[in-house]
Amino acid sequence: MKTIELSEPFDPQIIPAGKVVLATGFFDGVHCGHQQVIKTAARQAKKMSCKLAVMTLDRHPMIVFQHVPTKQIHYLTTLKHKLKLFQQLGADYVYVIKLAGTLPQMPPQEFVDKYMVGLHAAAVVAGEDYTYGKHTIANMQTLPEFARNRFQVITVKHVLFGQKKISSTMIRRLLDTGQIDLANQLLGYHYQNTGIIVHGKQLGRQLGFPTLNLKINSQERILGEGIYATKVRLSGKEYLGMASIGRNETFGANQQLTVEINLLNFSKMVYGQQVVVNWYHYLRGQVKFANAQALIEQLKKDQRQTLNYFQK
Ligand SMILES: Cc1cc2nc3c(=O)[nH]c(=O)nc-3n(C[C@H](O)[C@H](O)[C@H](O)COP(=O)(O)O)c2cc1C
Ligand SMILES: Nc1ncnc2c1ncn2[C@@H]1O[C@H](COP(=O)(O)OP(=O)(O)O)[C@@H](O)[C@H]1O
């Protein structure tokens, strides 16, 4: 897979020769709905004997159109993770479009000419609500007019959960409220965070349950408070872990939020390393225990539950 960054104005020479089927969207999360768009494009590419290209943006459109500060955006997938998921879906090219300069105000006809025809699209595939300018004029209904028979337009119907379309917003709400099991079902894979192991208060080892304290990548979204069953990738190996996201209420009020994980079958001292956490299952909410002993008793139960979950 080849990743090509495009910023306005780009040199048409850098676009690989040959026709592509172009799947387009912001694709935060690359959830089941997004996967349907990309898989439809992949089938079409096979039919038309061309390459599969995916087009995405380098930043959330809310930053540009609603002026939301960059720091306030917490993605379901970082660009790096998104690219990995596109690769798994069979993308030959990924175009990452820089949403800056004159691009956000570009008239729809110019956008279609430069970023669809200009990328050699034989067909453009997107979801029902895809827009490439003001939603009243630059939508999937009007795309054939702008295309002027230069490419085919394929609109993919929303994938529904119950009556509602599966959306990044729906999944963000589920994550914020700790509903990881359902969020994973709608994502079609296990939600993931990346973080660095930092020093905590060194209380964990006294309790008999040392924990990796994680500083999660600041652009990523953190699950709501609770205790979760996880799989953790550390130094090329995978471990089962029980994770706590919370404020360690047992040890005082108004403490900082921490993300910490006790790994089952692990006993090395590690700090500073990068870990990838895959979140699998919600075990319980945070509890303010009467004392450390009561917390320890609960941690033993959490450990058994984590093992049971993964043995199922
Ligand atoms: C699986 C798990 C569950 C936990 N549950 C709670 C809890 O319900 N209430 C609480 O106050 N702390 C809970 N903790 C957090 C412990 O208080 C924390 O690990 C301890 O304070 C150690 O902190 P340290 O890593 O900074 O030394 C939990 C930790 C783990 C690993
Ligand atoms: N099974 C384990 N799970 C998590 N961390 C472990 C484990 N065994 C050893 N460790 C180590 O212990 C450290 C955490 O101990 P802890 O007392 O909780 O200290 P800290 O407060 O600095 O996180 C981790 O950084 C890790 O290197």
Side-chain angles (χ1 to χ4, degrees), residues 34-307:
H34 298 145
Q35 290 170 28
Q36 186 71 22
V37 170
I38 298 169
K39 284 177 184 170
T40 303
R43 279 196 296 273
Q44 187 66 21
K46 208 165 180 191
K47 231 193 248 173
M48 299 174 94
S49 305
C50 29
K51 302 266 191 204
L52 171 62
V54 178
M55 177 160 78
T56 188
L57 303 170
D58 73 332
R59 66 199 78 188
H60 202 292
M62 287 210 318
I63 296 172
V64 176
F65 297 106
Q66 269 106 315
H67 308 290
V68 175
T70 307
K71 273 194 185 158
Q72 279 177 27
I73 302 279
H74 299 286
Y75 295 99
L76 298 174
T77 41
T78 56
L79 181 59
K80 189 175 163 203
H81 189 200
K82 232 191 221 183
L83 293 176
K84 199 169 152 198
L85 293 165
F86 290 156
Q87 184 163 31
Q88 286 168 1
L89 289 162
D92 297 298
Y93 306 128
V94 178
Y95 288 105
V96 181
I97 313 293
K98 188 168 174 187
L99 190 58
T102 54
L103 189 74
Q105 308 310 330
M106 188 176 277
Q109 186 66 66
E110 188 181 342
F111 183 81
V112 169
D113 293 348
K114 286 188 176 164
Y115 289 86
M116 294 181 183
V117 178
L119 304 189
H120 310 156
V124 170
V125 185
E128 288 172 72
D129 56 359
Y130 176 69
T131 56
Y132 42 95
K134 277 210 169 43
H135 68 95
T136 46
I137 49 167
N139 53 49
M140 287 306 274
Q141 282 78 41
T142 57
L143 188 54
E145 292 164 37
F146 293 118
R148 287 192 262 114
N149 293 321
R150 290 170 296 174
F151 57 83
Q152 227 177 297
V153 175
I154 299 172
T155 306
V156 177
K157 283 220 170 316
H158 288 146
V159 180
L160 301 180
F161 176 72
Q163 314 277 35
K164 285 199 189 140
K165 71 161 181 170
I166 295 177
S167 65
S168 305
T169 308
M170 179 190 269
I171 296 169
R172 281 187 207 116
R173 283 200 200 110
L174 291 171
L175 295 178
D176 292 350
T177 52
Q179 298 180 72
I180 187 64
D181 302 71
L182 184 52
N184 285 338
Q185 191 186 319
L186 305 188
L187 283 169
Y189 60 89
H190 294 100
Y191 185 64
Q192 189 176 96
N193 281 129
T194 49
I196 301 285
I197 306 172
V198 296
H199 288 272
K201 295 200 177 120
Q202 311 211 335
L203 252 167
R205 60 192 82 174
Q206 291 172 42
L207 298 172
F209 291 93
T211 56
L212 304 176
N213 282 52
L214 300 183
K215 186 177 184 304
I216 302 293
N217 180 341
S218 63
Q219 289 199 329
E220 296 180 21
R221 205 168 191 88
I222 299 176
L223 281 165
E225 291 188 21
I227 315 303
Y228 301 89
T230 63
K231 283 189 184 174
V232 177
R233 186 152 270 281
L234 167 62
S235 312
K237 282 202 190 121
E238 193 167 70
Y239 301 92
L240 302 185
M242 51 177 187
S244 166
I245 301 179
R247 299 179 185 277
N248 302 330
E249 299 156 66
T250 304
F251 300 98
N254 305 320
Q255 305 210 63
Q256 256 199 327
L257 186 83
T258 62
V259 178
E260 28 186 305
I261 311 186
N262 171 260
L263 303 179
L264 281 53
N265 306 318
F266 182 85
S267 60
K268 282 195 223 87
M269 275 294 158
V270 278
Y271 288 102
Q273 255 129 298
Q274 192 188 277
V275 298
V276 178
V277 186
N278 288 291
W279 302 89
Y280 275 73
H281 176 59
Y282 178 85
L283 290 168
R284 64 174 175 90
Q286 287 286 344
V287 177
K288 179 176 173 7
F289 289 98
N291 50 52
Q293 193 52 41
L295 171 61
I296 293 170
E297 291 310 317
Q298 180 60 48
L299 288 169
K300 289 178 187 162
K301 284 186 199 156
D302 294 337
Q303 198 173 41
R304 280 198 297 276
Q305 274 209 308
T306 302
L307 271 174

